[in-house]
Amino acid sequence: MDMSPFPHHGPLDPAQAGPQQDLIDDLVRRVTERRVTALLGPRRHGKTTALRAVVDRLSDSVTSVWLDLYELASWADLAGRFDRALAPIGAVGSPTVTELAARVGLPLGMLSIELRKPAHQRPDPILVVQSQLDILVKASAANPIVLVIDEFSGIVGVEGAAAQLRTSLQHHFQEIGLLFAGSEPSTMRMLFTDRAEPFYAQADLVEARPFDAVAVEQIVRTGFESTGRSAGSIAPAVAYVTGGHPHRVMELADAVWSRVPPGGTATDDDVTLALDQVLRAESAGLERLFSSFPTGEQLVLRVVAKNEAIFGGYADSLGLSSGGAQHARSLLIDRGYLRREGRSVAIVDPVLAEWIRRTFG
Ligand SMILES: Nc1ncnc2c1ncn2[C@@H]1O[C@H](COP(=O)(O)OP(=O)(O)O)[C@@H](O)[C@H]1O
Ligand SMILES: [Mg+2]
């Protein structure tokens, strides 16, 4: 059995990130020039993959610290995640990060145990985070560091955390490069463009976009070729069906590929059947996701999936009021399920859109 040339479960290894090379080059340049940068884009658009590739490319010259703030819940949560982020660089710096942590009574890598103790015995997590940032700053004096923060929009879950980060790091952007990414488009934008926010105007915003038709063609062709198969002329169909959505391109290409034996050539029929297969595989998850939307948002998604106007007759027939539609639409845009396309909107995930069409006719 060959390994599929189209991995699509979670972020890819740097060696597999080829198709985003321009984006990765750009980010590497920015980090090298110590320009604070935030990578924005919907879920599954290759952001984490790109960050990993950047870290990998810079590994000879800088030390990276990887902090993931997905659904961050509290200061203690932040302290625990920071601890896990610092643990792998314990030996870095002089004095080392481990020594710096020990000096302030933080057992590096073990903090989550401390933070679970009864209230009167556990350290104040805000002070812990301040110490951790201080350690990072001290370690960076001897050794350039890049702080990579994935799912940075999670920071809004903890009041004052973004301000603390800014306060501790702002005079050290030369020693500590900062690279952010996040999937909640409106929160990410707000964090860097709203005057009231600590990181207002502090970062250049870069977007992770869908793959264009040329990139899809290249991904599909080389994936098939590298495993002794031919993609025939399916690339345009894959690009069309997926709209270049990075994860869906890979998932669909994989489903096509698995239908083609070594030495064989893919056909457009394979794409049709592969799409059925993807929908079957994803239906339980899509159903759960769809049910999680409030009714107004479900209706807007149904209308948009059919390419109908959300203020038109079809919307009306579903009982969608124009006020309700407007509200639901902006919430869906904010959370990255819809994106604006000229004057109308489109569903970001093409497989969700197809599932809705097949489910609701
Ligand atoms: N450089 C890339 N080349 C090909 N496919 C990619 C690339 N980056 C991401 N993908 C596809 O997108 C999926 C999600 O990538 P990930 O980096 O986790 O996205 P995000 O962090 O934006 O949610 C991957 O499993 C893969 O299928
Ligand atoms: Mg990610």
Side-chain angles (χ1 to χ4, degrees), residues 13 33 139 160 187 257 288 303 327 361:
D13 289 337
E33 293 167 3
T187 308
W257 179 87
R288 255 194 319 275
V303 172
H327 180 65

Side-chain angles (χ1 to χ4, degrees), residues 36-90:
V36 180
T37 302
L39 178 59
L40 275 55
R43 281 165 214 86
R44 296 172 168 184
H45 273 55
K47 300 180 301 297
T48 302
T49 299
L51 297 191
R52 282 188 180 185
V54 170
V55 165
D56 185 63
R57 282 264 291 277
L58 292 171
S59 60
D60 287 341
S61 52
V62 289
T63 300
S64 296
V65 174
W66 185 285
L67 187 61
D68 187 333
L69 300 186
Y70 179 68
E71 301 284 346
L72 188 70
S74 64
W75 280 98
D77 194 10
L78 177 56
R81 294 194 202 191
F82 223 124
D83 187 52
R84 279 202 298 283
L86 290 175
I89 66 154

Side-chain angles (χ1 to χ4, degrees), residues 266-351:
T267 66
D268 280 349
D269 281 348
D270 288 319
V271 178
T272 307
L273 293 166
L275 180 61
D276 292 345
Q277 188 182 320
V278 167
L279 279 152
R280 271 197 304 280
E282 298 281 347
S283 71
L286 293 170
E287 198 174 323
R288 255 194 319 275
L289 172 66
F290 190 78
S291 312
S292 74
F293 294 112
T295 309
E297 294 180 24
Q298 290 184 356
L299 295 178
V300 166
L301 287 167
R302 285 173 61 178
V303 172
V304 175
K306 290 192 71 160
N307 263 324
E308 296 278 351
I310 66 163
F311 305 121
Y314 179 62
D316 213 32
S317 76
L318 293 177
L320 188 60
S321 71
S322 65
Q326 207 154 6
H327 180 65
R329 179 180 62 180
S330 64
L331 290 175
L332 287 164
I333 292 171
D334 284 352
R335 295 189 345 270
Y337 292 104
L338 291 182
R339 70 157 171 270
R340 284 182 199 286
E341 242 169 39
R343 299 184 62 191
S344 73
V345 287
I347 295 179
V348 169
D349 177 357
V351 174

